[in-house]
DNA sequence: TATCGTAGAGAACGAACGTTCTCTCCGCTA
DNA sequence: TAGCGGAGAGAACGTTCGTTCTCTACGATA
């Protein structure tokens, strides 16, 4: 098995297990078993559990933001894109293995004990906030920086609320709050009201 | 040492250690050392670590909501109280040992593995949401249920953002978002705008 | 003073942790 | 075919975990 393949399998196993059960609840041996990679090779790829955790977070960050951006970019009007974030969130919340924000979970567990993990989490949140900033800037918001801050707060609140309640409905409630702050900043898309969106297809092309 | 005193010292130690370092990162022996309660007595009070964690969360829930309610009740006008929540949050975020939401942290760590902990977290979030509902109802909001949902999302987002960034400024940004959704629901207090509040004393009595 | 119940200190238990080491086997070269 | 390097399997290391047990000391009662 090549190094690059082993690394991928290790990160795949780490993502499923760390995200699903928490970092501290999953031992290295369990990752070895799930990945099929020998323990020796595991420690050749990642010198410690902390390194593996950090790598897991950084890869998840890229994938997560990539999936979000892909979904949002499908929205044709720049003014509609900020709210499309919450449509994507709702889809994500509905997935059976959804268990909240991997980064916040890891931060709560290891943020106080591992600077590397804390940095990865901070970087992720900063990237997301930067992405939202670009969206509202393109949508012509009055004060993009302030609006991005507000949306970032609402997004995090939506994720944690959905995780605890176990219901994807938090996305819709967050979406309605986001619609209000967007409207207040002068961003009015084609479906600012939201909420009844789930009754059928969007009125704009989504494909 | 009486049972009731031992229990209090155990919960005090558990709160500082579990909240500060995470639940899994703190062993029972460390709690014994910090509390001065013997291990035997510890297991007489709490039959397992899980029970201690749940008791820690439930006591913290009562205290946390009590402190919040005390601070908010000092606001004379019912219309100003919802935003006062965020003033209290900012004070909390500025405390040196602030490390995010104890309940979300515990949920991320043990929510998948302990039903008792998950229940305690859900109960806390439901209580907070119910408290917010009462506030906006008293303030005469148009749709109190929907508004309470929105505020609950913003509160959770504020806490997690403040925890990750390590700066209390998230409270102000959440406050401004909350002010917008409150205004949209017809709740207009004496200082809805917020934001410049931090430049000096509030214009209403705070004592 | 002799006895008893209880409490604290901390040793001890088995399991699991992160990490390293040993052993064996296989594919390559001379 | 003999020898070598690297890889996988998994035993083993030392530590720490949650939990239980042992031993000693002490205060109350007769």
């Amino acid at each position: 098995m090549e190094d690059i393949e082993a690394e991928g399998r290790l990160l795949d196993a780490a993502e499923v297990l760390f995200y699903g059960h928490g970092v501290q609840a999953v031992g290295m041996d369990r990752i070895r078993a799930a990945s099929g990679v020998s323990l020796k090779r595991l420690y050749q790829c990642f010198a410690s559990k902390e390194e593996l955790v950090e790598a897991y977070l950084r890869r998840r960050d890229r994938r997560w933001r990539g999936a979000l951006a892909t979904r949002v970019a499908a929205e044709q009007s720049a003014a509609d894109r900020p709210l499309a974030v919450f449509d994507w969130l709702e889809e994500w919340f509905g997935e059976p293995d959804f268990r909240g924000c991997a980064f916040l979970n890891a931060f709560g567990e290891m943020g106080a004990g591992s600077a590397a993990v804390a940095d990865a989490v901070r970087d992720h949140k900063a990237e997301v906030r930067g992405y939202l900033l670009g969206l509202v800037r393109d949508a012509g918001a009055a004060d993009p920086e302030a609006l991005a801050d507000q949306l970032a707060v609402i997004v995090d609140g939506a994720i944690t609320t959905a995780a605890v309640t176990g219901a994807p409905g938090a996305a819709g409630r967050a979406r309605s709050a986001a619609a209000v702050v967007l409207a207040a900043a002068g961003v009015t898309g084609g479906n600012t009201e939201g909420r009844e969106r789930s009754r059928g297809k969007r009125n704009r092309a989504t494909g």
Side-chain angles (χ1 to χ4, degrees), chain A:
Chain A
M1 190 187 302
E2 296 200 12
D3 260 28
I4 187 109
E5 186 195 343
E7 209 171 290
R9 289 165 66 157
L10 286 167
L11 288 174
D12 287 344
E15 182 152 8
V16 170
L17 293 173
F18 285 158
Y19 180 64
H21 301 87
V23 173
Q24 308 252 40
V26 173
M28 294 296 260
D29 199 64
R30 204 158 155 201
I31 286 175
R32 175 203 56 79
S35 64
V37 173
S38 76
L39 221 42
K40 188 189 210 171
R41 170 84 78 168
L42 195 169
Y43 277 95
Q44 279 172 0
C45 292
F46 305 99
S48 68
K49 187 179 186 181
E50 188 180 15
E51 268 192 28
L52 177 61
V53 173
E54 188 188 351
Y56 141 64
L57 290 176
R58 297 216 178 264
R59 196 188 68 162
R60 187 175 172 97
D61 167 55
R62 290 193 299 275
R63 292 189 169 184
W64 190 90
R65 286 189 295 115
L68 169 61
T70 300
R71 168 69 181 80
V72 168
E75 210 73 25
Q76 291 187 339
S77 157
D80 285 338
R81 284 190 199 123
L83 280 185
V85 168
F86 295 89
D87 298 334
W88 181 78
L89 285 180
E90 184 161 19
E91 292 166 22
W92 177 38
F93 296 168
E95 289 176 13
D97 58 353
F98 170 73
R99 227 179 66 77
C101 177
F103 304 89
L104 294 178
N105 291 350
F107 190 84
E109 253 184 294
M110 317 191 60
S114 164
V117 169
D119 283 347
V121 175
R122 261 189 292 270
D123 289 349
H124 165 74
K125 292 300 176 192
E127 291 282 354
V128 171
R129 194 259 182 199
Y131 171 73
L132 293 172
L133 175 62
L135 286 186
V136 298
R137 201 167 253 156
D138 291 348
D143 185 347
E145 297 281 349
L147 183 56
D149 283 335
Q150 294 178 333
L151 289 183
V153 164
I154 294 172
V155 166
D156 268 357
I159 300 173
T160 57
T161 301
V164 170
T165 62
R173 297 189 267 276
R175 189 186 199 273
S176 72
V180 173
V181 300
L182 280 163
V187 179
T188 52
N191 41 17
T192 312
E193 297 300 325
R195 239 37 190 330
E196 69 275 13
R197 159 189 45 61
S198 52
R199 270 201 274 264
K201 277 264 184 219
R202 310 289 303 280
N203 55 350
R204 306 188 90 85
T206 54

